[in-house]
Amino acid sequence: MTTLGIIQARMDSSRLPGKVLLQLGGRSVLERCVRGAQLSGVLDQVIVATTVEATDDVIVEECARIGVPCHRGPVDDVLARFLGVLDEYASDIVLRFTADNPLIDPAIISRAHRVFVAAGADYLTTSIAHTLPRGMDVEMVRTPVLRAVDGLATDHHRVHVTSYIYTHANDFDVIGLTLQPDLSHLRLTVDTEDDWRVVSAIVDHFGDEPVPLHKLAAWIESRPELVELNAHVLQKALVQA
């Protein structure tokens, strides 16, 4: 089976504009996301899906610099962006990533992929019963299922790509994967200035290579001032674009 990783990325973020190209230890946030996905060893190809807006020309340039393909599509219809990638690249399974998660753990991606393939499910996510830190979640879907959703998803479901599937779980074979221990109180994504400070401190300490979650969590939890720095940040609701 051919497995694609699609990373959605754009410069126009409401809470931290340009976050995907901020530098972390000499690499952009986007490049770190690409590397983490590639190091999982389960992807045949990684493609960045950005928009046709002129402000995202710099993302296309960054993709060329780091050597990954880039597809451009609608701004708000992110599902259509993903389907545009699928029109260009053959696949059986799609892993969805967002470009503001530079600390993703390749081992978690690999483990989730093994479960998904063995189960033969339509869709798998770690975010239904949430135990991973924000920024570490993994989701994957069978390509025919994602194509079928195109005729069903409207409004915010087209922004969030896969949300129609897990909010209509009676219609699909959905796996909600949970990993222990529960570390859902941690935020390891880059969505605000305070998130940025936390992630920067982590990269400054650990350096260039991806860090296994258990090791990262042990270090950050020994520094409560870092945990508290972005503990107040609320995740946007599903209906928010």
Side-chain angles (χ1 to χ4, degrees):
M1 290 186 290
T2 301
T3 302
L4 293 184
I6 303 179
I7 303 174
Q8 61 188 74
R10 59 181 297 194
M11 293 296 288
D12 187 14
S13 168
S14 60
R15 296 205 279 194
L16 187 59
K19 61 186 178 181
V20 300
L21 294 188
L22 292 175
Q23 293 293 302
L24 285 168
R27 297 183 189 272
S28 68
V29 171
L30 175 59
E31 182 179 5
R32 286 184 176 274
C33 184
V34 169
R35 289 178 74 235
Q38 290 172 332
L39 289 172
S40 70
V42 304
L43 300 174
D44 296 288
Q45 181 67 278
V46 175
I47 300 98
V48 173
T50 192
T51 83
V52 294
E53 294 289 293
T55 52
D56 290 325
D57 290 350
V58 289
I59 291 179
V60 178
E61 293 168 5
E62 175 70 356
C63 289
R65 187 188 70 80
I66 64 178
V68 295
C70 186
H71 172 85
R72 308 189 78 164
V75 174
D76 295 321
D77 191 345
V78 189
L79 175 57
R81 241 190 277 167
F82 272 60
L83 294 173
V85 173
L86 299 184
D87 288 340
E88 294 184 31
Y89 298 88
S91 66
D92 300 292
I93 298 172
V94 175
L95 274 68
R96 174 182 175 241
F97 301 93
T98 57
D100 52 3
N101 295 332
L103 300 178
I104 53 177
D105 185 343
I108 293 176
I109 299 170
S110 177
R111 182 185 304 178
H113 183 263
R114 290 197 302 272
V115 171
F116 182 70
V117 171
D122 291 331
Y123 174 78
L124 178 147
T125 182
T126 58
S127 63
I128 292 177
H130 207 247
T131 60
L132 291 176
R134 186 69 61 180
M136 287 286 193
D137 282 306
V138 181
E139 63 175 329
M140 54 201 72
V141 60
R142 294 197 178 271
T143 300
V145 174
L146 194 58
R147 289 192 179 280
V149 168
D150 185 33
L152 303 169
T154 58
D155 302 323
H156 63 276
H157 290 308
R158 301 198 70 85
V159 176
H160 296 286
V161 184
T162 56
S163 60
Y164 183 90
I165 300 170
Y166 60 78
T167 57
H168 295 76
N170 287 335
D171 300 326
F172 303 95
D173 184 0
V174 172
I175 291 178
L177 181 65
T178 59
L179 301 176
Q180 297 298 321
D182 186 350
L183 298 171
S184 58
H185 60 287
L186 299 176
R187 280 186 63 86
L188 302 177
T189 187
V190 178
D191 195 36
T192 69
E193 286 283 356
D194 286 336
D195 291 333
W196 171 249
R197 294 186 183 98
V198 172
V199 172
S200 294
I202 291 169
V203 172
D204 287 346
H205 177 76
F206 285 104
D208 195 49
E209 295 302 315
V211 183
L213 175 57
H214 70 275
K215 183 177 180 180
L216 191 161
W219 181 81
I220 194 173
E221 290 196 308
S222 71
R223 288 153 180 81
E225 72 281 2
L226 280 181
V227 176
E228 293 168 6
L229 188 59
N230 65 350
H232 67 282
V233 179
L234 299 178
Q235 195 67 17
K236 290 181 179 180
L238 180 62
V239 296
Q240 293 178 291

